[in-house]
Amino acid sequence: MNYVSTRGGAEPQEFCDILLGGLAPDGGLYLPESYPQVADRLDEWRGLSYAELAFRILSLFITDIPPADLRVICDKTYTAQTYRWCRPGRDAADIVPLTMLEPGFHLLELSNGPTLAFKDMAMQLLGNLFEYVLEKRGETINILGATSGDTGSAAEYAMRGKHNVRVFMLSPEGKMSAFQRAQMYSLQDENIFNIAVRGMFDDAQDIVKAVSNDAGFKAKFKIGAVNSINWGRVAAQIVYYFKGYFEATRSSDEKVAFCVPSGNFGNICAGHIARMMGLPIERLVLATNENDVLDEFFRTGVYRPRATAETHVTSSPSMDISKASNFERFVFDLVGRDATIVRQLWREVDAGGSFSLAGGPFAARLPDYGIVSGCSSHADRLATIRDVWQRYGQMIDTHTADGVKVAREHRVAGLPMIVLETAQPVKFAETIREALGRDPARPAELEGIENLPQRVEVVDAAVAQVKDIIVRHC
Ligand SMILES: *Cc1c(COP(=O)(O)O)cnc(C)c1O
């Protein structure tokens, strides 16, 4: 399988060649040159374990790792031990249990990994793939990132203790919850470096950009990233759409709908690809919070990324995104994979502008992709958390609540709706207390992690200070 850039200006490459990089050299995103068609394999795949299903699906996309090795990587990634942070009554061997709230309305629990958010599903695989590929090539990588919470911790837990990988993760000093800080800063692994920046998330992000734009420094210190545009992450996420489908149906001629809480369009992009591969997904429901850039597009055909200053700070913070970094992948498919059109559209976006497909041929094709959308506010979130707790006895986190709220607006009689649960409530305890007047439960092993010794260096929002730390540790 070869990968091409959405902007058409990169040589086709195989999986391992694009795994460690970020953007394609022409500024586009990599996608497989075609989507494998699997509609006639669904019966055979139904009932496979998660690791085996992951192997079957990923081997269609990863053709430059010998199958026996890829199978070992999948088996080692998707273990009940790694995804053991289930709520009581669930079986960790399922990896992603499906919980029925009422007939035809389900939650697919994706947050049973070590950092209690769905990003572990893909990031844990990436950790094992990185280690494998770096070892084969005799290379090392220094991952540099900025986080406001979920991504950084998922990356650190995936890369901790891995050979040939170091992680330098910047976070805004004092802006994450005590639980999130403890999750990251209590890691004592020698290859993990937490850097708290005196400033906001955007200051940390700017430093990452500045370091990555210094080509000399980047090459010398082998700086890499694991941000949400990484194709390996999208590929890993395709698997659980299949798993959710098999759990919610009895036969492979049934259709389902998925609802996906969205920020960067990464998670739902994987759903779009699963659908393009022939998984019978009738509807993909996209849910945003107050940052409704994507909802606006699917309602009006206008894509208008917001300035960072316009981004709302919300109680579902992992969706506080003003520019959806994976959206270009979907638009590439929508415009018939015409890279010239994508280049034109993103010339506007990259210059801080917007584009409109309204009234044109591509907007007319949108319904073929099955995506509908809606948005959710803080008040909706509180009401939904309360309602789901009272009605079904299930505690859901703020992002999942946005999903449930919008899913309810798009239910169709006879079509099972599967809402992707993207985090456990304990990560967003403050809002849970506001909604329910009680604390979310936390896994026993994580009791008191706030009291463990922490390892973090605090710096000013200055590029030189961060570079200095990297130089010192490499
Ligand atoms: C990252 C994240 C999202 C958004 O996922 P995208 O792939 O960026 O659309 C939603 N919920 C939680 C809890 C997250 O961590």
Side-chain angles (χ1 to χ4, degrees), residues 117-119 150 261-267 318-319 397 399 422-423 428:
F118 86 98
K119 290 186 173 72
D150 291 343
S262 297
N264 266 317
F265 205 84
N267 199 355
S318 302
M319 289 154 47
D397 99 291
H399 307 75
T422 56
F428 305 97

Side-chain angles (χ1 to χ4, degrees), residues 114-116 120 143-158 160 167-197 201 204 427 446 449-450 452-457:
T115 72
L116 311 183
D120 290 326
I143 293 169
L144 176 65
T147 188
S148 53
D150 291 343
T151 308
S153 54
E156 291 189 353
Y157 280 77
R160 60 188 295 203
V167 179
F168 295 89
M169 191 56 66
L170 277 54
S171 50
E173 191 195 18
K175 304 292 187 303
M176 298 188 299
S177 72
F179 182 83
Q180 285 178 314
R181 278 202 302 274
Q183 267 191 317
M184 290 178 59
Y185 300 169
S186 67
L187 289 181
Q188 300 296 328
D189 305 78
E190 277 174 16
N191 68 330
I192 302 294
F193 302 94
N194 287 302
I195 304 173
V197 176
F201 169 72
K427 294 196 91 167
L446 299 180
I449 58 164
E450 289 91 339
L452 295 174
Q454 300 194 349
R455 228 173 117 247
V456 58
E457 291 184 65

Side-chain angles (χ1 to χ4, degrees), residues 62-174:
I62 307 175
T63 48
D64 55 343
I65 293 180
D69 293 358
L70 185 60
R71 177 170 254 131
V72 170
I73 291 170
C74 290
D75 284 346
K76 156 166 150 187
T77 301
Y78 296 111
T79 66
Q81 174 62 20
T82 299
Y83 295 93
R84 68 181 178 280
W85 313 91
C86 289
R87 273 48 48 96
R90 315 288 204 279
D91 183 356
D94 277 351
I95 311 293
V96 293
L98 186 80
T99 298
M100 188 174 83
L101 295 181
E102 62 182 50
F105 200 58
H106 311 268
L107 283 181
L108 186 64
E109 297 181 0
L110 302 177
S111 52
N112 296 326
T115 72
L116 311 183
F118 86 98
K119 290 186 173 72
D120 290 326
M121 291 303 301
M123 208 70 94
Q124 289 287 321
L125 179 79
L126 220 55
N128 289 326
L129 284 170
F130 270 40
E131 188 172 53
Y132 176 87
V133 172
L134 291 167
E135 176 78 47
K136 282 251 146 153
R137 301 185 166 192
E139 291 175 10
T140 59
I141 195 169
N142 292 304
I143 293 169
L144 176 65
T147 188
S148 53
D150 291 343
T151 308
S153 54
E156 291 189 353
Y157 280 77
M159 303 294 166
R160 60 188 295 203
K162 294 275 184 275
H163 298 297
N164 306 322
V165 184
R166 292 187 197 90
V167 179
F168 295 89
M169 191 56 66
L170 277 54
S171 50
E173 191 195 18

Side-chain angles (χ1 to χ4, degrees), residues 127-387:
N128 289 326
L129 284 170
F130 270 40
E131 188 172 53
Y132 176 87
V133 172
L134 291 167
E135 176 78 47
K136 282 251 146 153
R137 301 185 166 192
E139 291 175 10
T140 59
I141 195 169
N142 292 304
I143 293 169
L144 176 65
T147 188
S148 53
D150 291 343
T151 308
S153 54
E156 291 189 353
Y157 280 77
M159 303 294 166
R160 60 188 295 203
K162 294 275 184 275
H163 298 297
N164 306 322
V165 184
R166 292 187 197 90
V167 179
F168 295 89
M169 191 56 66
L170 277 54
S171 50
E173 191 195 18
K175 304 292 187 303
M176 298 188 299
S177 72
F179 182 83
Q180 285 178 314
R181 278 202 302 274
Q183 267 191 317
M184 290 178 59
Y185 300 169
S186 67
L187 289 181
Q188 300 296 328
D189 305 78
E190 277 174 16
N191 68 330
I192 302 294
F193 302 94
N194 287 302
I195 304 173
V197 176
R198 295 188 188 97
M200 306 294 289
F201 169 72
D202 290 316
D203 298 311
Q205 184 73 49
D206 287 344
I207 295 174
V208 171
K209 282 188 198 147
V211 174
S212 305
N213 287 338
D214 179 343
F217 189 89
K218 187 177 176 193
K220 181 163 181 207
F221 291 99
K222 308 206 166 16
I223 303 294
V226 288
N227 46 22
S228 76
I229 56 164
N230 183 291
W231 163 254
R233 286 181 60 183
V234 178
Q237 290 169 359
I238 294 171
V239 178
Y240 51 70
Y241 285 88
F242 281 82
K243 187 70 180 169
Y245 174 78
F246 293 137
E247 295 290 328
T249 59
R250 292 234 180 89
S251 97
S252 306
D253 47 22
E254 292 175 46
K255 295 192 164 164
V256 300
F258 282 96
C259 179
V260 191
S262 297
N264 266 317
F265 205 84
N267 199 355
I268 196 166
C269 187
H272 157 69
I273 294 171
R275 189 173 181 275
M276 298 293 279
M277 292 167 72
L279 188 67
I281 301 176
E282 173 89 4
R283 274 189 168 195
L284 274 171
V285 182
L286 182 152
T288 70
N289 63 16
E290 290 88 335
N291 296 290
D292 59 353
V293 185
L294 289 168
D295 177 41
E296 181 174 85
F297 174 80
F298 286 99
R299 279 185 298 102
T300 67
V302 175
Y303 180 57
R304 187 173 62 86
R306 315 292 198 257
T308 314
E310 275 183 81
T311 308
H312 302 272
V313 176
T314 77
S315 46
S316 44
S318 302
M319 289 154 47
D320 291 350
I321 307 280
S322 39
K323 202 182 249 183
S325 50
N326 274 289
F327 185 54
E328 185 172 337
R329 288 192 160 110
F330 172 73
V331 172
F332 182 63
D333 286 339
L334 178 66
V335 301
R337 298 200 140 211
D338 186 336
T340 314
I341 297 177
V342 174
R343 261 200 317 273
Q344 273 165 7
L345 297 175
W346 258 267
R347 199 170 298 144
E348 301 297 323
V349 172
D350 289 342
S354 59
F355 63 75
S356 171
L357 303 180
F362 303 124
R365 275 189 218 164
L366 260 180
D368 299 347
Y369 292 86
I371 303 182
V372 292
S373 70
C375 66
S376 166
S377 67
H378 182 68
D380 293 328
R381 215 163 284 138
L382 294 180
T384 306
I385 291 170
R386 233 175 259 137
D387 181 77

